[in-house]
Amino acid sequence: MTDMPSFVYTAHAARVIFGAGTLQRLPEEVARLDLERVLVLATPQQQASAHDLALRLGARAVGVYAGAMMHTPVAVTEDAMRTVSERRVDGLIAVGGGSTTGLAKAIALRTDLPQIVAPTTYAGSEMTPILGETKDGAKVTQSSPKILPEVVIYDVDLTLSLPPALSGTSGINAIAHAVEALYAKERNPVISLMALEAIGTLFRSLPRVVADPAGREARAEALYGAWLCGTCLGAVGMALHHKLCHTLGGSFDLPHAETHTVVLPHALAYIAPAIPEVMQRLARVLGAADAPGALYDLAGRVGAKRALRDLGMPESGIDMATDRALANPYWNPRPLEREAIRALIARAWRGDPPQPDGGYAI
Ligand code: NAD
């Protein structure tokens, strides 16, 4: 599969500030947007740094809302909305991972308030106009220009405290976005360039990040890779890998980034026979003839779990996951074959390496 000779590429406008210590520029950015009453958002765990930040913003900050939670529950957003209206907030500052960014996006969807996001993980949500919200246990995903943050401040220093285990899986979760961008239905040559650069950068930097979490150079490379991966996710669609992760995560309440880390080598090995040119490009960028095997090894090198059973999925779930993966499938370069998909999920459940012939052929 080559990049399409004709394509549509929608670039999303965002102002990106990248470097070490860049959060110091936040007051300047708040002033540049003419914001006078900003609310700083955070998770309960990152509350202290959110308060420090609000202090640094002085009179332009009207408070902190530190209730952000995974999967953006609508109840949390509605609670935050009360603070937004009571304090007549005119702008949102999110400092945190995908959960905090999700809360900013959810408020922006309802109010169109401008957002300045400073990511502290490699999730990449800050570069997408996509929001997934949960209500009564169901997740609803939507896209709108209001959701895309206006300014993103990547400050390498904010990522130094990200625990090694989370750094590894968050980084491989980002790689998964870029890998699927290479063969997505909407793929285009510009996004493919970014995807390959991102995959290579994260592949080389993540083991160094985990070995030395305070090392700024590897952290900067990983954050740069994560930015590009987020851009890929925001610009093109997804395929089998994301479908499997959404199915497994939703059915067995498995952790998000860890599930991506286990599934990616297997999903790629399944799709491989349908995308020989993509596999060659991946092999070049990873410096390994067997790209799925190299991604499986990467998960091992960053100390991640490589078996779905170790994430809490029961063996009896393999058939249910197969059924659900085949129901309403996303577009995929290789048609979904029931027995092969079951073999893929079973291997991922056991933690075996991806099938050596790369095909999960029956
Ligand atoms: P997260 O934001 O939930 O963070 C995980 C935990 O780590 C939190 O307790 C957080 O406070 C803590 N943490 C974050 N950064 C830290 C740091 N530098 N130092 C110390 N602790 C830190 O996790 P995440 O993986 O970034 O985000 C996951 C969420 O993002 C999910 O809800 C997922 O669906 C969403 N997401 C959305 C998109 C999108 O485009 N809409 C893209 C990717 C992820």
Side-chain angles (χ1 to χ4, degrees):
M1 189 200 302
T2 50
D3 287 329
M4 302 292 279
S6 66
F7 55 86
V8 175
Y9 171 37
T10 306
H12 300 299
R15 177 175 163 87
V16 171
I17 298 165
F18 189 98
T22 42
L23 194 61
Q24 283 171 9
R25 292 178 57 172
L26 180 64
E28 228 177 281
E29 291 301 313
V30 168
R32 203 183 63 86
L33 291 174
D34 281 333
L35 304 179
E36 291 177 346
R37 303 184 61 80
V38 300
L39 182 67
V40 181
L41 306 172
T43 58
Q45 295 82 357
Q46 290 172 298
Q47 187 165 12
S49 45
H51 279 289
D52 286 350
L53 198 62
L55 279 179
R56 271 196 268 159
L57 286 170
R60 286 189 195 260
V62 293
V64 169
Y65 183 89
M69 277 174 69
M70 190 79 116
H71 304 311
T72 326
V74 168
V76 171
T77 303
E78 285 170 353
D79 186 48
M81 286 289 294
R82 280 190 280 279
T83 308
V84 167
S85 66
E86 277 162 22
R87 302 198 192 170
R88 292 178 291 112
V89 168
D90 67 359
L92 304 164
I93 314 288
V95 184
S99 297
T100 307
T101 306
L103 177 58
K105 287 172 153 185
I107 298 171
L109 177 67
R110 290 159 174 81
T111 58
D112 208 12
L113 287 177
Q115 308 166 64
I116 304 178
V117 175
T120 64
T121 70
Y122 304 134
S125 173
E126 65 283 354
M127 297 311 294
T128 82
I130 308 163
L131 169 68
E133 297 182 289
T134 46
K135 191 174 183 185
D136 304 327
K139 190 159 185 171
V140 177
T141 299
Q142 57 189 309
S143 184
S144 154
K146 289 183 196 169
I147 293 172
L148 187 74
E150 278 69 8
V151 179
V152 178
I153 302 181
Y154 286 107
D155 185 341
V156 176
D157 293 352
L158 297 179
T159 64
L160 299 180
S161 58
L162 188 63
L166 199 51
S167 303
T169 53
S170 184
I172 295 177
N173 183 186
I175 290 178
H177 303 326
V179 166
E180 292 243 285
L182 291 170
Y183 50 74
K185 199 175 181 184
E186 308 81 359
R187 67 193 176 279
N188 69 67
V190 180
I191 287 296
S192 294
L193 272 179
M194 287 190 202
L196 290 167
E197 167 82 353
I199 294 163
T201 304
L202 279 162
F203 186 75
R204 289 185 297 274
S205 58
L206 287 180
R208 289 158 54 218
V209 161
V210 171
D212 176 18
R216 277 198 173 72
E217 205 181 298
R219 283 287 192 187
E221 285 172 30
L223 191 59
Y224 166 67
W227 162 25
L228 298 181
C229 290
T231 306
C232 293
L233 180 67
V236 298
M238 301 176 237
L240 176 65
H241 167 77
H242 281 79
K243 172 70 184 182
L244 284 174
C245 292
H246 293 165
T247 301
L248 292 163
S251 303
F252 309 107
D253 197 22
L254 306 183
H256 178 87
E258 287 89 335
T259 305
H260 275 267
T261 302
V262 174
V263 171
L264 180 62
H266 299 278
L268 183 62
Y270 178 90
I271 298 170
I275 52 167
E277 291 182 25
V278 168
M279 295 311 288
Q280 280 173 14
R281 297 176 89 179
L282 274 173
R284 267 199 303 279
V285 85
L286 298 178
D290 170 17
L295 292 170
Y296 180 81
D297 291 345
L298 175 66
R301 280 157 65 208
V302 302
K305 291 181 177 151
R306 292 191 287 189
L308 293 172
R309 66 173 156 197
D310 293 339
L311 302 182
M313 176 177 161
E315 185 169 14
S316 58
I318 295 173
D319 283 314
M320 188 220 271
T322 308
D323 290 342
R324 291 193 177 172
L326 290 164
N328 308 315
Y330 296 177
W331 180 87
N332 196 55
R334 177 179 165 189
L336 303 193
E337 298 156 23
R338 191 186 161 82
E339 283 313 306
I341 293 292
R342 192 189 184 284
L344 179 171
I345 295 172
R347 264 187 114 87
W349 182 81
R350 289 191 301 269
D352 292 345
Q355 190 157 304
D357 69 7
Y360 288 98
I362 305 170

